[in-house]
Amino acid sequence: MGSENLYSADSTEPGRENGVPEQARARRLKPSHAATAIVLLVLLGMALTFFLPHRQAVPLDQNFTAEHVEMLGMSDNAAQRLAYRVGIVLLVMLTLGAMVVVTWRTRFWATATARRVGTILTGVKNHSGLLIFAAYAVVFLLTLQQTAFAVPNGRKWRLGAALVSLSVVLGAMRMGKRLTMRFVVVAAWLGVGAYGLFLIVPGLVRPLIVLESRLSSVEWHYSVTLAQADRLAAGLSLGTEINLNYGLLHQVALAIFERGFGLLDFGGHIRLVQLTQVAFLLAAIFAFWLWKPRRPLFILFATALIGAWLSTSHIAIYYPNQAGWRSLAFPVGIAFLLLMKRQTTRRAALLLGGMATASMLYNPETGLCLAAGYGLFLMSRLGSLRPANIVAHALRAALGATLMVVAVLLLYRGGLGAWPPLNLAAFAGFITRFGQGYGGLPLYFDPLATIMFAHGAYIVVFTLLRWRRGDDLNFADSVKLALSATILVWFTYYINRPHPWNLWTFKFLYVFLIADFFEPRFLRHLWLRGARAFAGARLATVTFILLPMIISTNHYILTTTRHPPTLPADNQSLVSGLLMTKTSAEALRAKAEFLARQDFSDTLYITRHSYSLALMTGSFIRLPVQDVFAETISREDFERRLAEIERIAPRVILIDAPGDRDVLQDPGISYYTRFFARLHERLAARYELREVTHGWQVWELRGV
């Protein structure tokens, strides 16, 4: 948030202009004042909406299955989702109003009242760092669990991290221009390289060990995120036998590969997710370099901020929706945007239209956020607001989008031998579900989330008002506008399921907005200001939030990398590319061998091992889901599954046999067991239990 003079005027002469008193001269509303006021009003409106009494919502288990509600710890978060929507509506309405007012020249802005209000708003903006310090103090004193720390190490750990962070910041401020010395630059680049190798290599060279206590959860997530590619490769039809949950493009690419080289085993799919972690890391570093090519310290800081989440040893590799597999469009899309610096606006519109479409086809959620940012970027680069100019750029963006769609259609047709269905419902994924509150969690006190939202809103308003006033925006201004808009739209996801895990992609987007902090001249300026410098938001954010977070998350990944899961050599067995205990391996092989002997044209199997058994046998159920439990989210879904089973009317249905040993090792299995019991109850009129063998309950159609 830049420093400006308090008021804009037609003349810089103080006091009088051609004999006219200062209070009588026409002035314009300052964008910084308007932006600060609007952000405060938006935050106030959101807080009032959240804390005001609300009408009693429908109980969650009236919409979603009871097993999902209990297992995911879902809570009714309608109030916070409404507060977010109110905040966005307020932001849009107030910004549009300010865009009209900011062009007016009136004496009101020179009155004593306006001057006092402006002084207050300037003071709030320039001293917002004190609020950040206060937030950190609350977290420290109350030992709250929030995103600055990955593990609950208590006050001693947090105090140590804060002192280390403060020492690093003071040292950087003191060194100032010496940070540009050659040995510092070389050391920073060596640090980036060494850190990257630490993140990439250990996880790739070690065997993949999955214990029973985690196996069901891993199967769930891979069934939801990657199984669609395997089903495409096996010849199932999109739209009728396959529903996409997280996008199309990566599924098509994997399906084409598996058509040519055969299905990957379970371990091979996890290795693939590890590679997307590497791809995200490299694309992010490239984007950081494009943004600040001569600031390796910024690149090192930004990489360390998100690096722990991108390690091939991070637990995220077992949950692809939290890994690079899902979010790769963000670094690629931002790097692509930064490459537009030397392009004309018309050519940029064509290219960004295509990239936005590719991002949405890769993952609809992140792609829509990038598309919103691209749209504001292009608008801010227009030299003229004539309708003909706007239409010309919109048509070029639409042409780029059309060309990308055609390219993907041809890729699909050439690689899979069929055309995809023109059915948008098959591509919607989980957007609707999450919008209804699926997986919802209550808000917790998180200073970083508040900072990113408020700072992003400020930049959007401030930049749009400058653009509307006719100020010249440089390329960096337009990029920051795009990044801020992307953050605000992406907050739709976080506000439904606020959790430290779900903030790492926001950190990637946000770090571009504070990159100026690493300018040597700016650091030297802060040193000269002394303690007053910490009243500013950027320095306080870096010192008390981001650097302690880097220390904590990297301490976690260092520990995880040094001490990975292990199994005794005499109690391990390899199944589908995964090492597990011999007991688990024998049980899984027995189920797979029995399943492989069945007639798949007349057999349906429903199991918590939905992913491994499909890959081990090469057979996929004819329902449009891979994991019946994981993808049966609502009561409506439950009835739909029953209708689909009745429609295909398999002669045999195999369902996991409950086992006390499994439940003791993984309490989460009990939710599967309860769900399967409800299926039994509804299917009992048509199916009867014949036997329990090899870990299966064998149900046969009555009268056959």
Side-chain angles (χ1 to χ4, degrees):
M1 305 177 187
S3 59
E4 308 172 72
N5 296 325
L6 288 181
Y7 289 93
S8 301
D10 297 331
S11 171
T12 58
E13 182 182 352
R16 302 178 67 86
E17 180 185 16
N18 297 326
V20 180
E22 182 179 18
Q23 289 79 4
R25 297 208 308 271
R27 293 177 177 272
R28 293 188 297 181
L29 174 66
K30 274 183 61 66
S32 61
H33 291 165
T36 303
I38 287 173
V39 171
L40 292 175
L41 289 173
V42 167
L43 294 177
L44 178 61
M46 294 174 69
L48 289 175
T49 304
F50 180 72
F51 289 109
L52 285 177
H54 292 272
R55 178 173 56 86
Q56 182 65 36
V58 177
L60 286 171
D61 58 7
Q62 296 297 312
N63 290 327
F64 305 105
T65 63
E67 295 83 11
H68 278 250
V69 172
E70 186 176 341
M71 184 173 65
L72 296 177
M74 290 171 55
S75 65
D76 179 10
N77 61 9
Q80 65 204 46
R81 289 185 287 119
L82 176 61
Y84 170 77
R85 291 194 293 269
V86 167
I88 293 298
V89 170
L90 278 175
L91 182 65
V92 172
M93 293 177 62
L94 293 173
T95 302
L96 290 176
M99 289 176 72
V100 175
V101 175
V102 78
T103 61
W104 294 353
R105 295 181 182 274
T106 174
R107 299 173 184 175
F108 172 76
W109 307 117
T111 63
T113 300
R115 291 171 63 86
R116 281 195 292 270
V117 172
T119 301
I120 292 172
L121 292 173
T122 300
V124 169
K125 181 171 71 73
N126 291 341
H127 294 83
S128 54
L130 299 178
L131 296 176
I132 296 171
F133 175 76
Y136 179 82
V138 169
V139 170
F140 172 76
L141 293 174
L142 300 182
T143 321
L144 299 179
Q145 300 308 315
Q146 44 83 54
T147 58
F149 299 92
V151 287
N153 289 104
R155 293 180 182 175
K156 184 178 294 186
W157 168 267
R158 297 182 181 194
L159 179 61
L163 292 176
V164 171
S165 172
L166 183 61
S167 300
V168 171
V169 169
L170 290 175
M173 292 165 58
R174 181 67 179 87
M175 292 181 66
K177 291 185 177 180
R178 282 181 287 178
L179 293 177
T180 61
M181 296 175 63
R182 184 174 180 82
F183 83 91
V184 176
V185 172
V186 172
W189 279 117
L190 289 175
V192 172
Y195 182 61
L197 291 174
F198 161 73
L199 295 176
I200 294 171
V201 175
L204 290 179
V205 300
R206 286 175 176 152
L208 298 170
I209 298 176
V210 181
L211 303 179
E212 185 70 37
S213 59
R214 180 178 292 168
L215 183 58
S216 297
S217 178
V218 176
E219 300 233 21
W220 161 323
H221 284 81
Y222 272 80
S223 289
V224 169
T225 52
L226 271 77
Q228 293 73 37
D230 306 317
R231 295 166 70 85
L232 282 171
L236 278 69
S237 300
L238 182 63
T240 56
E241 298 172 306
I242 303 172
N243 288 329
L244 296 173
N245 297 322
Y246 287 102
L248 171 70
L249 203 52
H250 43 0
Q251 306 289 359
V252 172
L254 176 55
I256 292 173
F257 175 85
E258 291 187 315
R259 278 279 181 95
F261 299 96
L263 290 176
L264 298 174
D265 60 15
F266 204 156
H269 285 85
I270 295 178
R271 294 298 186 194
L272 178 61
V273 172
Q274 287 180 312
L275 292 179
T276 63
Q277 295 280 86
V278 176
F280 191 116
L281 178 66
L282 296 179
I285 293 174
F286 180 57
F288 298 149
W289 177 79
L290 288 173
W291 187 236
K292 295 292 180 181
R294 296 180 179 84
R295 295 291 175 260
L297 285 179
F298 160 72
I299 298 171
L300 178 60
F301 173 88
T303 305
L305 182 63
I306 63 169
W309 301 93
L310 295 169
S311 168
T312 56
S313 300
H314 196 279
I315 193 175
I317 66 172
Y318 298 112
Y319 305 96
N321 58 314
Q322 295 289 353
W325 174 263
R326 176 191 186 182
S327 303
L328 187 57
F330 273 148
V332 174
I334 299 305
F336 192 84
L337 176 64
L338 295 175
L339 290 172
M340 296 297 104
K341 186 172 185 178
R342 302 188 183 279
Q343 303 296 327
T344 64
T345 54
R346 292 200 171 190
R347 183 176 296 174
L350 176 70
L351 296 172
L352 291 177
M355 187 63 198
T357 303
S359 299
M360 287 187 282
L361 290 173
Y362 185 89
N363 179 257
E365 301 156 315
T366 56
L368 285 170
C369 300
L370 280 171
Y374 285 175
L376 284 181
F377 169 85
L378 289 172
M379 186 184 73
S380 69
R381 303 309 295 162
L382 294 180
S384 169
L385 293 181
R386 290 181 293 108
N389 191 33
I390 296 175
V391 170
H393 284 80
L395 289 176
R396 283 179 172 267
L399 175 60
T402 302
L403 293 175
M404 181 57 65
V405 169
V406 170
V408 173
L409 289 174
L410 293 175
L411 175 67
Y412 192 105
R413 179 68 174 84
L416 301 178
W419 295 104
L422 298 177
N423 179 11
L424 293 179
F427 298 87
F430 280 175
I431 291 180
T432 303
R433 300 297 190 200
F434 284 111
Q436 295 170 341
Y438 174 64
L441 294 175
L443 280 174
Y444 63 97
F445 181 62
D446 194 316
L448 180 61
T450 306
I451 291 167
M452 290 191 293
F453 183 88
H455 193 181
Y458 178 90
I459 290 178
V460 167
V461 179
F462 178 67
T463 308
L464 287 177
L465 294 186
R466 288 183 57 212
W467 170 76
R468 181 70 179 93
R469 200 174 63 172
D471 295 353
D472 290 331
L473 299 181
N474 58 33
F475 179 78
D477 293 329
S478 297
V479 171
K480 288 181 179 180
L481 174 63
L483 289 164
S484 300
T486 302
I487 289 172
L488 294 181
V489 179
W490 185 223
F491 251 93
T492 307
Y493 172 71
Y494 176 77
I495 207 70
N496 178 64
R497 192 166 174 79
H499 189 277
W501 270 43
N502 297 331
L503 269 184
W504 74 273
T505 50
F506 292 90
K507 299 172 196 173
F508 164 73
L509 296 168
Y510 183 68
V511 74
F512 291 92
L513 304 183
I514 59 171
D516 291 341
F517 172 83
F518 297 89
E519 295 290 340
R521 286 182 298 178
F522 181 67
L523 288 170
R524 182 61 179 168
H525 168 72
L526 292 176
W527 176 259
L528 294 176
R529 290 189 62 193
R532 292 177 301 165
F534 289 91
R538 278 185 297 184
L539 183 57
T541 299
V542 171
T543 305
F544 300 112
I545 303 295
L546 296 181
L547 267 176
M549 183 185 303
I550 288 175
I551 295 170
S552 178
T553 55
N554 282 281
H555 173 267
Y556 162 79
I557 201 60
L558 176 63
T559 303
T560 301
T561 304
R562 291 180 58 192
H563 305 288
T566 57
L567 279 174
D570 59 350
N571 187 30
Q572 59 179 236
S573 184
L574 187 68
V575 179
S576 194
L578 300 179
L579 277 180
M580 58 185 70
T581 63
K582 287 185 176 180
T583 303
S584 297
E586 290 169 1
L588 195 56
R589 289 196 188 99
K591 296 184 75 170
E593 290 169 1
F594 182 83
L595 179 60
R597 295 196 297 268
Q598 307 307 307
D599 179 4
F600 288 112
S601 66
D602 212 15
T603 301
L604 174 69
Y605 64 95
I606 303 174
T607 173
R608 65 185 177 90
H609 295 299
S610 55
Y611 200 64
S612 57
L613 290 178
L615 296 176
M616 291 170 71
T617 61
S619 65
F620 298 87
I621 61 176
R622 287 174 289 157
L623 299 178
V625 295
Q626 178 74 14
D627 190 308
V628 174
F629 170 60
E631 298 177 74
T632 303
I633 292 171
S634 65
R635 289 194 167 197
E636 181 183 350
D637 292 337
F638 188 81
E639 298 301 325
R640 187 180 298 114
R641 290 295 94 80
L642 289 169
E644 290 164 350
I645 292 173
E646 291 181 1
R647 175 179 54 81
I648 62 178
R651 184 181 60 84
V652 176
I653 299 179
L654 303 178
I655 302 179
D656 282 346
D660 293 339
R661 180 190 61 79
D662 292 338
V663 174
L664 289 174
Q665 290 184 337
D666 183 0
I669 297 173
S670 63
Y671 300 109
Y672 277 88
T673 303
R674 285 163 46 186
F675 178 83
F676 294 157
R678 289 203 293 129
L679 279 179
H680 299 167
E681 183 179 350
R682 294 291 296 274
L683 294 171
R686 298 190 63 193
Y687 289 86
E688 60 181 339
L689 179 63
R690 290 297 177 86
E691 63 175 328
V692 177
T693 181
H694 295 81
W696 293 107
Q697 298 179 72
V698 183
W699 293 71
E700 290 189 2
L701 194 64
R702 293 184 184 273
V704 176

